[in-house]
Amino acid sequence: EAGVAQSPRYKIIEKRQSVAFWCNPISGHATLYWYQQILGQGPKLLIQFQNNGVVDDSQLPKDRFSAERLKGVDSTLKIQPAKLEDSAVYLCASSPTPFSGGSTDTQYFGPGTRLTVL
Amino acid sequence: AQRVTQPEKLLSVFKGAPVELKCNYSYSGSPELFWYVQYSRQRLQLLLRHISRESIKGFTADLNKGETSFHLKKPFAQEEDSAMYYCALSGDTGFQKLVFGTGTRLLVSP
């Protein structure tokens, strides 16, 4: 089966510019995650969708970051305007089943988008 | 609050030597613990999870609730084990949110 797809793979922008990332999860996966991974740190969850609804966006800087998942499939993450500290790898992941109180699903990660803000 | 600590940024061993990558966590409920691995130029992927209690690629990890630890072990390291290893925790509330540690780079030399 095809894995999680992300584009672009690399992006360089200047501060105060806008940028958008795209993610296509594994077909049929209900849950989609966006993570931010700053150099030297582990991935940090920004936002989690279950189908096309947001279930956790507690760590999303909502003054500049936004995300949507139209029709419960593809997703886009936007930063507007970007700051220097937004330089990171942005990872998209998906998992098969909606949360139902059972054990945690395996998350399948995309290759990531490396963002450099100058 | 959920927290995962991996105290070593880099662990360097020779081929055939035993390996232990440390992971400690902080969580008041009943967590699920995972090890994710990223090999060079590959995606982050699940290595193992504590509820499976299985050995993957010779690696095992036991959840020690008394010491709040989930150390990853392998008795004889191989060069192909060189990778970045992340310990992660999922709590028993919320929507399967994973909290990751900062990662340990394992380097296995010939």
Side-chain angles (χ1 to χ4, degrees):
Chain A
E1 81 188 343
V4 175
Q6 290 187 247
S7 67
R9 293 296 310 279
Y10 305 92
K11 190 73 176 179
I12 300 174
I13 61 173
E14 295 192 349
K15 60 183 179 184
R16 290 187 290 272
Q17 285 188 320
S18 302
V19 65
F21 312 126
W22 173 82
C23 173
N24 181 234
I26 293 172
S27 178
H29 279 198
T31 308
L32 185 146
Y33 314 80
W34 282 103
Y35 290 88
Q36 180 192 58
Q37 186 172 19
I38 293 172
L39 187 64
Q41 299 182 20
K44 182 183 82 171
L45 181 69
L46 292 176
I47 189 167
Q48 177 178 343
F49 293 92
Q50 189 160 294
N51 297 312
N52 61 348
V54 176
V55 297
D56 189 333
D57 63 356
S58 57
Q59 298 192 96
L60 186 74
K62 299 179 186 64
D63 57 333
R64 298 184 300 106
F65 285 64
S66 64
E68 60 181 5
R69 188 182 186 196
L70 297 176
K71 299 181 181 179
V73 183
D74 292 5
S75 178
T76 56
L77 175 70
K78 297 179 182 178
I79 308 175
Q80 180 178 7
K83 293 186 175 181
L84 296 177
E85 58 261 36
D86 299 331
S87 294
V89 175
Y90 290 84
L91 295 167
C92 180
S94 67
S95 61
T97 54
F99 178 72
S100 60
S103 64
T104 300
D105 260 353
T106 298
Q107 294 187 20
Y108 297 85
F109 285 82
T113 296
R114 183 177 297 277
L115 174 67
T116 301
V117 182
L118 303 176
Chain B
Q2 303 171 12
R3 182 173 296 171
V4 176
T5 302
Q6 295 180 251
E8 305 140 327
K9 285 193 177 299
L10 173 66
L11 184 62
S12 186
V13 302
F14 288 105
K15 177 182 173 182
V19 168
E20 181 177 70
L21 286 80
K22 291 183 167 49
C23 172
N24 288 90
Y25 67 90
S26 173
Y27 184 65
S28 56
S30 295
E32 285 190 71
L33 273 294
F34 306 83
W35 280 98
Y36 276 79
V37 61
Q38 188 166 24
Y39 300 102
S40 179
R41 288 184 288 278
Q42 294 189 28
R43 305 173 182 207
L44 192 60
Q45 59 185 288
L46 178 67
L47 178 64
L48 56 78
R49 53 200 298 160
H50 88 269
I51 60 172
S52 300
R53 301 186 66 81
E54 54 187 349
S55 173
I56 305 293
K57 298 184 179 183
F59 284 98
T60 59
D62 291 317
L63 179 59
N64 186 323
K65 292 187 177 181
E67 296 183 359
T68 60
S69 68
F70 188 57
H71 303 326
L72 184 68
K73 300 178 183 179
K74 185 170 183 176
F76 307 103
Q78 303 299 315
E79 290 180 66
E80 55 264 31
D81 296 329
S82 295
M84 196 73 185
Y85 292 81
Y86 294 94
C87 183
L89 175 153
S90 177
D92 53 4
T93 60
F95 292 85
Q96 305 186 355
K97 173 181 176 178
L98 281 181
V99 174
F100 285 86
T102 52
T104 298
R105 180 169 297 282
L106 175 63
L107 181 60
V108 182
S109 303

